Amino acid sequence: MNTPEFIDLPEVLSAGGSVRLPGSKSISNRVLLLSALAAGDTEVRDLLESDDTERMREALSALGVDMHSLGNNAWLIKGVGGTFPNKQADLFLGNAGTAFRSLTAVLALSGGTYAVSGVPRMHERPIGDLVDALRQLGADIGYVGSEGFPPLTIRPATIRSGGVVRVRGDVSSQFLTGVLMALPLTGVETTVEVVGELISKPYIEITLAMMARFGVQVRRDGWQRFIVPAGSVYRSPGTIYVEGDASSASYFLALGAIGGGPLRVEGVGETSVQGDVRFADALAQMGARISMGPNWIEAGAPVNGRLRGIDLDCNHIPDAAMTLATTALFADGVTTLRNIASWRVKETDRIAAMATELRNLGAKVDEGADLLRIEPPASFVAPHAGIDTYDDHRIAMCFSLAACGVPVRINDPGCVAKTFPEYFARFAEVTRAVPVIAIDGPSASGKGTIAARVAAELGWHYLDSGAIYRLTALAAQRAGVAWDDEPALARIAAELDVEFGEDSIRLSGEEVGDAIRLEEISIGASRVAALPSVRQALLFRQRLFRRAPGLVADGRDMASVVFPDAQTKIFLTASVEVRAQRRYKQLIDKGIAANIAPLLLDLRERDLRDSQRSVAPLQQSEGAHLLDTTELTIAQTVAQVLEWSRQA
Ligand code: DC
């Protein structure tokens, strides 16, 4: 499958509706592992189908666990009732932390020879505290590369029965989760003592709740001591439903709070075992309207106006707290997120990544060892190079919220497949983008005049996309770059320093409104417009014109390429003779000498070049209204466009 390099999100006017959440990643991977270890078959419903759960399923299959899909996100897993049948396996777990840590613990007590590895980033994520804990039980685990980090080799060992195991809890709660889930394999009572402050406590709640569903009751003494009783064995609960993902819910709840709402997420609610549902409380503290049922949560904008910044200890919602960082862009005042040190050892260093990208949008950000302080921008900046996502699904999803303030380009959007492959499709369904009227047509068809008048009537913005190609041709001419030097032209297009005013167009500060209309530049524009990398370089620049309350855009590929989701699409044309007449009159009116015959010839040539080029040729796109203005006045044409836009 080809993964796109970026996705461009248009500015969002409002958000509302409802979203059915995909299954929770945390629950899915725990349930998969426990179903595999349990005695009896388990039918798992609503399992998350994503990269991380696929890594877990692949690993379990390689370990000899029999499972098959029942369709509709349901799986039947035949429990092995003890340790894995395959005593030798080489497992690749990608960047799935939940799978890596818990499987390592279980394999260490399974009496086999195993190699466990992941992607390069996984090999930078610490695991030493888990290995140290397992070694206390007698496990034989070795580091293949750096001490304290994957990949690992695991060998059969004599496991010491019972007693006390000490596990550090202040780097990742997944170490404690791993040890707890593995201990029933020993069959004897073992006490686990947590060293240091336990972070991400809600994930331990999930672990204990899932173990209980599979028949193992862990006794506990606060967050300090956990006792796995003698004779603990996992037994299938028969059928188990996976809750919706509460961390994934956070993006939509924030969208509702920023974009008006009400926006409802279905699949989690007040009875959820996932701590991340408490993200809703943080949003409420920011002023959002929140309501909750057993299996749903709804968010809307504050009753009286805007969200406000908060100062919050985020230990209880480590993943969902990332969403607060981008929600803070839309709040009055400063937002401070504390106790988030664990962000540094996740898919990427999330504190650093967040700070960089928030600053790229114009926010002022202070970054501490375990905190982030965000002051929203007075006005948004849209980075032309896009928002980088660091192979981190949550960074990609968090920054989609920026579209509530400015059009944004998200690089490598495919990384959301880790937990939410359908994220951007759901996002589009619950957001209303700034509307566009796209008007395409040949040279001198009157597009410019019509589009500018329609924009003025509606009070919308206007994009003359031809001017952007003309500016590129002019800038190239001034830089001494030939109109067929594609790489140099693409660079010029990407770096074009233009400013569109009410009645002015400035190139590097100089007024060029007339210069770009010269016939010579028309020819240059048509040439440079035929080059794919020039068009690519100008794509996002054009999309940035789509700002509230709306945009009227004219050109050749507005409906087909630049704004394929435009609400109203129009193909405006007129006979070539009438167009030559109009151009002739325009020139004479400006006091420029002109002849009809060469104008006619030139238009014919340009029509041919614009419509026969291989990239984005001029064409009437599907769904576009054909409007032939040969016999129409300007007023009649404008009225027709407005009528179609009202019907859209
Ligand atoms: O609309 P115009 O005459 O100002 O356009 C100048 C050139 O730019 C024209 O030859 C076609 C090209 N163009 C394009 O290829 N795509 C657009 N969206 C707009 C213009």
Side-chain angles (χ1 to χ4, degrees), residues 170-215:
D170 54 356
V171 174
S172 169
S173 66
Q174 289 175 4
F175 304 152
L176 177 57
T177 283
V179 172
L180 289 173
M181 293 216 296
L183 279 174
L185 296 182
T186 67
V188 293
E189 178 173 302
T190 309
T191 299
V192 184
E193 277 183 8
V194 179
V195 182
E197 193 207 340
L198 180 62
I199 58 164
S200 312
K201 297 184 178 86
Y203 290 112
I204 300 301
E205 299 272 22
I206 297 178
T207 302
L208 299 180
M210 290 306 120
M211 288 173 70
R213 288 297 306 278
F214 282 83

Side-chain angles (χ1 to χ4, degrees), residues 38-290:
D41 297 351
T42 305
E43 186 175 329
V44 184
R45 303 250 177 97
D46 299 336
L47 188 80
L48 170 65
E49 309 245 358
S50 75
D51 287 353
D52 277 16
T53 53
E54 205 178 323
R55 293 296 86 72
M56 181 62 112
R57 284 195 282 101
E58 286 165 0
L60 294 174
S61 295
L63 290 164
V65 179
D66 192 2
M67 63 179 82
H68 62 265
S69 169
L70 301 171
N72 222 355
N73 300 341
W75 287 78
L76 184 71
I77 295 158
K78 296 189 174 298
V80 298
T83 58
F84 298 115
N86 289 357
K87 294 298 172 199
Q88 200 153 13
D90 194 341
L91 306 176
F92 173 77
L93 295 170
N95 201 7
T98 48
F100 205 108
R101 276 70 179 262
S102 56
L103 268 173
T104 294
V106 168
L107 293 174
L109 310 190
S110 292
T113 304
Y114 303 107
V116 198
S117 66
V119 297
R121 173 63 188 168
M122 194 70 232
H123 298 170
E124 293 169 5
R125 298 174 67 181
I127 198 159
D129 296 329
L130 175 62
V131 171
D132 290 348
L134 295 168
R135 282 177 175 167
Q136 291 168 48
L137 288 166
D140 181 352
I141 305 176
Y143 298 111
V144 178
S146 311
E147 269 304 281
F149 296 87
L152 304 175
T153 51
I154 298 169
R155 286 188 202 83
T158 309
I159 298 303
R160 175 175 65 73
S161 299
V164 176
V165 180
R166 290 160 64 81
V167 185
R168 265 185 65 178
D170 54 356
V171 174
S172 169
S173 66
Q174 289 175 4
F175 304 152
L176 177 57
T177 283
V179 172
L180 289 173
M181 293 216 296
L183 279 174
L185 296 182
T186 67
V188 293
E189 178 173 302
T190 309
T191 299
V192 184
E193 277 183 8
V194 179
V195 182
E197 193 207 340
L198 180 62
I199 58 164
S200 312
K201 297 184 178 86
Y203 290 112
I204 300 301
E205 299 272 22
I206 297 178
T207 302
L208 299 180
M210 290 306 120
M211 288 173 70
R213 288 297 306 278
F214 282 83
V216 172
Q217 301 288 342
V218 177
R219 296 202 308 273
R220 56 185 271 196
D221 180 1
W223 295 105
Q224 222 50 80
R225 194 164 292 105
F226 298 83
I227 298 150
V228 180
S232 294
V233 272
Y234 292 124
R235 285 197 189 81
S236 166
T239 300
I240 187 164
Y241 285 83
V242 175
E243 282 183 13
D245 193 301
S247 313
S248 300
S250 69
Y251 313 108
F252 295 101
L253 295 175
L255 263 181
I258 301 164
L263 212 164
R264 177 178 285 212
V265 293
E266 290 167 8
V268 290
E270 36 191 31
T271 56
S272 171
V273 297
Q274 299 169 77
D276 269 356
V277 289
R278 297 273 73 85
F279 170 81
D281 300 343
L283 268 189
Q285 231 181 306
M286 295 181 87
R289 278 175 300 131
I290 300 288

Side-chain angles (χ1 to χ4, degrees), residues 364-488:
K364 268 181 68 181
V365 182
D366 287 335
E367 181 190 332
D370 71 343
L371 73 77
L372 211 50
R373 186 174 289 118
I374 303 131
E375 188 181 327
S379 62
F380 280 95
V381 178
H384 280 254
I387 297 287
D388 281 332
T389 49
Y390 309 81
D391 202 16
D392 186 338
H393 56 136
R394 297 208 185 284
I395 301 269
M397 295 189 278
C398 280
F399 278 91
S400 66
L401 299 181
C404 295
V406 72
V408 282
R409 169 166 289 190
I410 307 277
N411 295 328
D412 185 24
C415 67
V416 299
K418 191 169 201 288
T419 52
F420 202 158
E422 300 290 311
Y423 179 74
F424 288 106
R426 295 290 91 76
F427 180 93
E429 282 164 13
V430 296
T431 51
R432 194 161 71 83
V434 167
V436 179
I437 299 176
I439 305 181
D440 292 305
S443 286
S445 58
K447 304 181 302 290
T449 310
I450 302 303
R453 292 210 187 177
V454 170
E457 283 283 331
L458 294 170
W460 288 10
H461 300 278
Y462 166 51
L463 165 63
D464 170 5
S465 63
I468 300 198
Y469 290 96
R470 289 171 180 272
L471 283 159
T472 306
L474 180 67
Q477 190 184 55
R478 292 189 169 176
V481 167
W483 286 329
D484 58 1
D485 182 348
E486 186 164 357

